[in-house]
Amino acid sequence: MAKEPMLKFVNVSRAMPEKRDAENRKGDFLEIYGDFISDKAEEQASRCSQCGVPYCQSHCPLHNNIPDWLRLTASGRLKEAYEVSQETNAFPEICGRICPQDRLCEGNCVIEQSGHGTVTIGTVEKYITDTAWENGWVELIKPSTERTETVGIIGSGPGGIAAADRLRRAGLQVTVYERSDRAGGLLTYGIPGFKLEKDVVMRRIEQLEKSGVEFVLNCNIGEDITFDALREKHDAVLIATGVYKSRDLQGPGAGSEGIVRALDYLTASNKVSFGDKVTEFENGELNAAGKKVVVIGGGDTAMDCVRTAIRQGATSVKCLYRRDRANMPGSQRETQNAEEEGVEFVWLSAPKGFAGNPVSGVMVQKMRLGVPDASGRQSPEVIEGADYVEDADLVIKALGFEPEELPKLWNAEGLEVTRWGTVLADFKTHETKLPGVYACGDIQRGASLVVWAIRDGREAADAIVEQVNAAASVAAE
Ligand SMILES: Cc1cc2nc3c(=O)[nH]c(=O)nc-3n(C[C@H](O)[C@H](O)[C@H](O)COP(=O)(O)OP(=O)(O)OC[C@H]3O[C@@H](n4cnc5c(N)ncnc54)[C@H](O)[C@@H]3O)c2cc1C
Ligand code: SF4
């Protein structure tokens, strides 16, 4: 697999002279925001004051037992730290890499709150489980009893595979249906490799396969197999399909060549990093090399696009967002990373149209923030007479995602959706209005986070196990 280029390096010999060679597990260089060596992890972990009011834990969607695994790490008991960590999280090394910790555990660390800088919880979590993999402590799932009941999971993103992990542990037979050519959902084809290395995702998929989970790839439910046939085949079905309908832009020139969707752009880049031949990358359509790139949007997807474009060798990368920095939805940490890498943010700016075909520029309207709307957010208002053209030969639309119309696509009568188009399901059990059909992750809660999809998958799996247990005891009576 091709290695992602790393932009910012710190030479270990300069940063930590006394630690060079013997203890540096990954070579001569460490990425500033990435890996660190063992006793640095222990040092970080020992900064935890064991405050007794673990806001970090209550602000982690999985309620990870953070204070305990920090304490174990601080005393060098990494195997035990791993055991505690994996009790509540099926994929700790993934969350450690890509959770927006500044909004979750770390943002609520009392040391951070008192102005002394957070314990870097995510990086310690990643370190513990990476070490567990290196030492062979991550074992295959071996259920104590094999059961005959089967579960069909539609979608192999974090929600689907977290449920698969839990269901296999309970001994159920699990098949995951995935329309893409690789499993992993947005972990594989959405999130870029410089944030989440693809071998980290693939080794988890392999572990599940070797533990008995069957993956059926290139299988689009609704097309290759009907939803009804799937319900017939399995004792329970879990919908974990994510949200994939990209929000679009209107205005003159919106259909011009050179204006592309964020997910197409990121998927192409990820496929290339797997070593795949991607025609649209090779012919330049989905490749930022040598181009003036403008990304439209202010969320995490936009941040991934700008940072990917920098790595591909764009001549300039600008991010257009209609509100200001304080009101952008993306992580502040990612925005800062992007700025340090050379991305220019053009705040309070919205696209009005596009010049040229192929595109040569974005017609920009300048905005100001007006009075707050019903949600309390200030609405952007156009400043008349301040329009200008921003040069661009690649425009990437990163405006967010909505659910596909599943009931219509699947001819699934009785599968109810909310007014946002997400599948309507109980928030605790995740059961939909169709008996034996469950939903989890983005397709239930709307575009969200990996850690929430993992939690939903776990809860849905527990409810499915309860359902099959209840059915088994009725049958036994
Ligand atoms: C570019 C990008 C970057 C992100 N970065 C982060 C981040 O850094 N940190 C974070 O926490 N979150 C991030 N997110 C959000 C996060 O990826 C999602 O919240 C999470 O992946 C949702 O998991 P899921 O299992 O619900 O769905 P997905 O990961 O979307 O997986 C759904 C799977 O279902 C498959 N599928 C859909 N329909 C069918 C069908 N009919 N038949 C068969 N298979 C089907 C899809 O192909 C896909 O593989 C990011 C999202 C994007 C778009
Ligand atoms: S899962 Fe995410 S929020 Fe929870 S401890 Fe890990 S990094 Fe923090």
Side-chain angles (χ1 to χ4, degrees), residues 201-220:
V201 182
M202 289 304 129
R203 74 183 172 193
R204 277 290 175 191
I205 304 291
E206 273 166 35
Q207 181 220 14
L208 287 170
E209 262 179 329
K210 287 183 184 155
S211 301
V213 174
E214 186 190 0
F215 285 88
V216 183
L217 301 178
N218 299 305
C219 180
N220 191 352

Side-chain angles (χ1 to χ4, degrees), residues 316-462:
S316 67
V317 182
K318 295 189 181 183
C319 183
L320 232 62
Y321 181 55
R322 63 195 178 126
R323 290 188 164 91
D324 60 6
R325 185 185 198 116
N327 286 287
M328 71 180 295
S331 147
Q332 292 294 333
R333 194 185 277 182
E334 291 237 20
T335 310
Q336 195 188 331
N337 290 345
E339 274 177 333
E340 285 169 7
E341 291 168 7
V343 174
E344 187 186 326
F345 284 84
V346 189
W347 306 114
L348 294 163
S349 305
K352 185 182 179 182
F354 301 89
N357 189 5
V359 72
S360 58
V362 182
M363 295 181 250
V364 179
Q365 284 183 317
K366 291 305 291 179
M367 316 295 281
R368 71 166 82 84
L369 291 180
V371 287
D373 62 16
S375 70
R377 275 182 103 194
Q378 285 179 283
S379 312
E381 295 168 354
V382 174
I383 303 174
E384 296 299 341
D387 297 5
Y388 74 102
V389 175
E390 190 77 72
D391 287 349
D393 35 30
L394 176 64
V395 176
I396 302 173
K397 298 177 283 186
L399 300 152
F401 302 93
E402 285 165 4
E404 292 159 289
E405 290 172 67
L406 293 189
K408 205 167 137 194
L409 281 173
W410 291 354
N411 198 15
E413 218 178 293
L415 183 68
E416 287 186 30
V417 294
T418 65
R419 65 191 165 109
W420 299 279
T422 49
V423 172
L424 183 66
D426 184 286
F427 244 85
K428 188 82 193 123
T429 65
H430 300 267
E431 190 163 15
T432 68
K433 295 291 174 187
L434 290 174
V437 177
Y438 297 76
C440 74
D442 283 3
I443 193 58
Q444 186 194 2
R445 59 170 68 238
S448 179
L449 294 174
V450 167
V451 65
W452 282 112
I454 293 174
R455 170 164 160 177
D456 290 351
R458 180 174 85 183
E459 286 176 349
D462 289 350

Side-chain angles (χ1 to χ4, degrees), residues 6-308:
M6 294 194 291
L7 286 186
K8 290 183 134 308
F9 296 113
V10 55
N11 190 315
V12 176
S13 60
R14 249 183 290 145
M16 297 169 239
E18 74 284 14
K19 302 298 172 213
R20 196 171 153 71
D21 295 328
E23 293 167 47
N24 178 10
R25 295 176 300 116
K26 295 259 164 101
D28 273 347
F29 295 96
L30 300 176
E31 197 179 359
I32 276 183
Y33 301 108
D35 216 347
F36 54 67
I37 52 181
S38 169
D39 72 347
K40 190 97 191 294
E42 288 163 11
E43 205 178 282
Q44 262 305 320
S46 66
R47 292 184 60 235
C48 174
S49 64
Q50 299 289 326
C51 60
V53 279
Y55 293 124
C56 56
Q57 183 168 5
S58 54
H59 285 84
C60 163
L62 297 167
H63 300 313
N64 281 342
N65 195 342
I66 300 164
D68 276 6
W69 49 251
L70 286 176
R71 187 172 27 210
L72 288 164
T73 304
S75 47
R77 294 160 64 180
L78 279 176
K79 189 157 192 250
E80 289 158 276
Y82 162 70
E83 276 155 13
V84 174
S85 160
Q86 57 88 49
E87 266 171 25
T88 49
N89 190 353
F91 315 121
E93 74 284 21
I94 293 179
C95 292
R97 283 170 165 86
I98 45 99
C99 270
Q101 287 98 5
D102 52 341
R103 288 185 252 156
L104 300 170
C105 52
E106 293 180 12
N108 291 282
C109 165
V110 294
I111 299 179
E112 170 76 2
Q113 301 291 337
S114 63
H116 293 93
T118 179
V119 175
T120 55
I121 296 165
T123 321
V124 176
E125 188 179 28
K126 160 187 179 291
Y127 176 78
I128 293 169
T129 309
D130 281 349
T131 308
W133 277 102
E134 278 169 26
N135 288 288
W137 303 334
V138 182
E139 290 173 2
L140 297 183
I141 301 165
K142 292 192 190 101
S144 51
T145 323
E146 284 292 352
R147 303 181 57 152
T148 53
E149 295 92 343
T150 72
V151 182
I153 299 179
I154 314 173
S156 64
I161 58 173
D165 178 283
R166 191 92 165 173
L167 290 163
R168 265 314 281 148
R169 287 180 199 280
L172 276 77
Q173 309 308 315
V174 182
T175 307
V176 180
Y177 300 88
E178 170 55 56
R179 68 180 170 192
S180 182
D181 60 345
R182 283 191 182 89
L186 291 171
L187 301 176
T188 299
Y189 282 146
I191 302 171
F194 59 83
K195 276 168 61 181
L196 176 61
E197 307 92 304
K198 300 304 150 182
D199 52 347
V200 169
V201 182
M202 289 304 129
R203 74 183 172 193
R204 277 290 175 191
I205 304 291
E206 273 166 35
Q207 181 220 14
L208 287 170
E209 262 179 329
K210 287 183 184 155
S211 301
V213 174
E214 186 190 0
F215 285 88
V216 183
L217 301 178
N218 299 305
C219 180
N220 191 352
I221 298 304
E223 264 184 41
D224 300 312
I225 303 179
T226 67
F227 180 62
D228 284 344
L230 208 70
R231 286 188 73 197
E232 285 284 311
K233 189 171 176 201
H234 295 289
D235 295 281
V237 168
L238 174 63
I239 304 172
T241 50
V243 290
Y244 282 89
K245 200 162 88 185
S246 302
R247 294 199 189 110
D248 218 341
L249 282 171
Q250 307 300 328
S256 298
E257 204 182 303
I259 304 175
V260 303
R261 288 183 302 197
L263 210 51
D264 293 340
Y265 173 70
L266 293 171
T267 302
S269 170
N270 278 316
K271 279 184 180 270
V272 168
S273 73
F274 274 108
D276 295 355
K277 181 176 159 58
V278 181
T279 311
E280 295 84 358
F281 182 83
E282 282 172 11
N283 69 18
E285 198 184 314
L286 295 174
N287 184 352
K291 292 189 179 155
K292 283 182 257 169
V293 178
V294 171
V295 176
I296 298 171
D300 288 336
T301 303
M303 296 311 107
D304 288 344
C305 291
V306 291
R307 298 184 70 197
T308 300

